[in-house]
Amino acid sequence: MSFLTRVYMHPDVEAVQGENTLAAWDARWPEWVDDLLEAGKLTQSRSDNFPSLYRGLASDILPMLPANRRMAPARYYTPETLQERINACPPDAVLGIEIWDQC
């Protein structure tokens, strides 16, 4: 089973695509999400159906991003622009995590 995971800035903004996206990849369930949740470093803001939504601080989330993630193609960003956004993200920024089941 595969999951589309997206990490984004400004979780209160409805459009999480495009300019708010920091990372997006398709892979197994990101177990680090469960680890951060258990450690109290994430809150789950939606679990009733997909997508599952979480919130946490950039200082906790960004170091957990996989180094070898396959980026979904999009007109709004390239891997280079996403890395620039990650590098510029303040450690105290609240980020959102969106996880979709890709059966």
Side-chain angles (χ1 to χ4, degrees), residues 57-63 90-93 95:
L57 292 178
S59 59
D60 296 321
I61 295 170
L62 294 180
D92 62 346
L95 302 181

Side-chain angles (χ1 to χ4, degrees), residues 33-77:
V33 169
D34 297 329
D35 295 341
L36 289 178
L37 193 59
E38 188 175 307
K41 295 183 177 189
L42 285 183
T43 57
Q44 188 166 17
S45 55
R46 180 178 176 183
S47 64
D48 57 338
N49 205 345
F50 283 101
S52 295
L53 300 176
Y54 303 87
R55 289 176 180 227
L57 292 178
S59 59
D60 296 321
I61 295 170
L62 294 180
M64 305 304 287
L65 296 181
N68 189 14
R69 54 193 179 270
R70 293 178 308 194
M71 308 311 280
R75 63 186 176 139
Y76 297 108
Y77 53 83

